[in-house]
Amino acid sequence: MRILERISSFAGNTFAIWVILFAVFAFIIPEGFTWIAPHISLLLGIIMFGMGLTLSLDDFKGIVKAPKSVLIGVLAQYTIMPLLAFGLATVFQLPAEVAIGVILVGCCPGGTASNVMTFLAKGNTALSVTVTAFSTILAPILTPALTLLFASKWLPVSAGDMFLTIVQVVLVPIVLGIVVRVLFKKQVEKSTGVLPLVSVIGIVAVASAVVAVNKDAIATTGLLIFSVVMLHNVLGLLIGYLLAKVIRLDFRDQKAISIEVGMQNSGLGATLALAHFAPIAAVPSALFSVWHNISGPLLATWWGKRSER
């Protein structure tokens, strides 16, 4: 078990490298990764189950301990990123399917990697975990509703079908994970050190499958999509930070809110895109997964060293 935990820790610390490396492999030899695409929903469900195993009922008490910060974090998550996505898709005049993909990423909850990045940045990790938990629990309602609001300009959106998909691949696995943790607390705590490895494998597989399926589209429009994804992420991090600063949260909370807003659950975005739209709609999620695992660690490292000084 210790060897697995060391491997898991190494995989978590080098997450960005593996995402980039396998995305490149998938682009060069797509036939080696396309078989993963039909199993993306299952992979996301496993990742969300792992997230549930790491959550405890105490994580949801954060709303009582710091209601203002949690409320700001959740509201910022579901306003800043969707609005930025809509604005970027409009300004860059993106093709309909690509615009849908960018908006889907923007309407997703925060990703679990945000908790690790907040910890490395010496931010308020407890706040980050609580905001991630609440934004994820609210995702079945808010993600379809916001996608319908912002994306129906380009293509028809079935909010009801998206709701069912999110319940199946996000809400149910998380609840099951929490229940298993409550019932088998000691056994689960012994295995939590291995869970980052599961998440890394899952996200890398999802990103690789999306790149493989969309190799030709990425070759022609990849630079444009990547530019939009970079702007989306960087502006989300910046505006999230400025909002928390203007509201006068302390610096640790500012870092947590910034990272929560900027780092999305790109795996969910890819799953919804493949399930309800054209395959190319999943490309922004895949590229977002690559980019935010570069920008997140860079920002977290800079903030962490700044805190040490």
Side-chain angles (χ1 to χ4, degrees):
M1 183 62 77
R2 287 183 179 178
I3 294 175
L4 272 177
E5 288 179 354
R6 288 176 183 174
I7 294 172
S8 181
S9 177
F10 174 75
N13 292 334
T14 55
F15 192 10
I17 295 172
W18 300 114
V19 173
I20 296 168
L21 187 63
F22 277 88
V24 172
F25 285 157
F27 186 81
I28 297 171
I29 44 172
E31 61 275 8
F33 297 89
T34 50
W35 63 271
I36 301 172
H39 309 293
I40 284 179
S41 294
L42 175 61
L43 287 169
L44 183 63
I46 292 170
I47 294 167
M48 291 297 101
F49 178 73
M51 178 184 174
L53 290 176
T54 64
L55 294 174
S56 68
L57 298 178
D58 289 339
D59 293 323
F60 294 92
K61 293 179 181 177
I63 190 68
V64 177
K65 297 176 182 176
K68 178 183 176 182
S69 297
V70 174
L71 183 61
I72 289 168
V74 174
L75 285 175
Q77 176 71 59
Y78 282 118
T79 53
I80 292 172
M81 293 304 273
L83 286 169
L84 280 175
F86 179 81
L88 289 168
T90 302
V91 169
F92 282 87
Q93 297 182 342
L94 298 177
E97 291 83 1
V98 176
I100 289 281
V102 172
I103 289 169
L104 268 176
V105 176
C107 296
C108 284
T112 53
S114 63
N115 308 148
V116 178
M117 293 305 111
T118 301
F119 173 77
L120 294 175
K122 293 181 170 56
N124 188 338
T125 307
L127 173 61
S128 176
V129 171
T130 303
V131 172
T132 298
F134 271 95
S135 66
T136 303
I137 295 299
L138 291 171
I141 301 295
L142 294 182
T143 297
L146 290 169
T147 303
L148 176 65
L149 176 64
F150 290 110
S152 55
K153 167 185 174 180
W154 285 275
L155 288 173
V157 176
S158 176
D161 289 345
M162 287 180 63
F163 167 81
L164 291 175
T165 300
I166 298 173
V167 168
Q168 290 169 358
V169 301
V170 175
L171 195 58
V172 171
I174 285 178
V175 172
L176 285 175
I178 293 172
V179 170
V180 169
R181 181 184 173 95
V182 170
L183 295 177
F184 306 100
K185 186 175 181 180
K186 291 183 180 179
Q187 292 89 333
V188 169
E189 287 179 350
K190 290 179 181 178
S191 64
T192 50
V194 182
L195 293 177
L197 179 60
V198 176
S199 294
V200 169
I201 292 172
I203 292 297
V204 168
V206 170
S208 301
V210 172
V211 170
V213 170
N214 293 282
K215 177 187 174 179
D216 293 338
I218 292 173
T220 55
T221 62
L223 184 59
L224 171 62
I225 300 174
F226 195 65
S227 299
V228 171
V229 163
M230 285 178 60
L231 278 172
H232 194 193
N233 169 247
V234 171
L235 288 173
L237 292 168
L238 177 62
I239 296 172
Y241 170 74
L242 292 175
L243 173 66
K245 189 177 181 67
V246 167
I247 298 173
R248 297 186 178 180
L249 299 182
D250 67 44
F251 189 41
R252 292 179 69 246
D253 286 3
Q254 291 171 19
K255 290 186 281 189
I257 297 298
S258 171
I259 293 170
E260 275 300 311
V261 171
M263 297 189 72
Q264 303 294 90
N265 188 336
S266 52
L268 176 59
T271 301
L272 293 173
L274 290 173
H276 301 285
F277 302 101
I280 193 175
V283 172
S285 293
L287 295 182
F288 200 100
S289 182
V290 173
W291 171 249
H292 83 177
N293 282 299
I294 297 172
S295 64
L298 287 174
L299 179 61
T301 301
W302 181 69
W303 264 336
K305 289 183 178 179
R306 184 180 172 189
S307 295
E308 288 175 2
R309 289 198 297 269

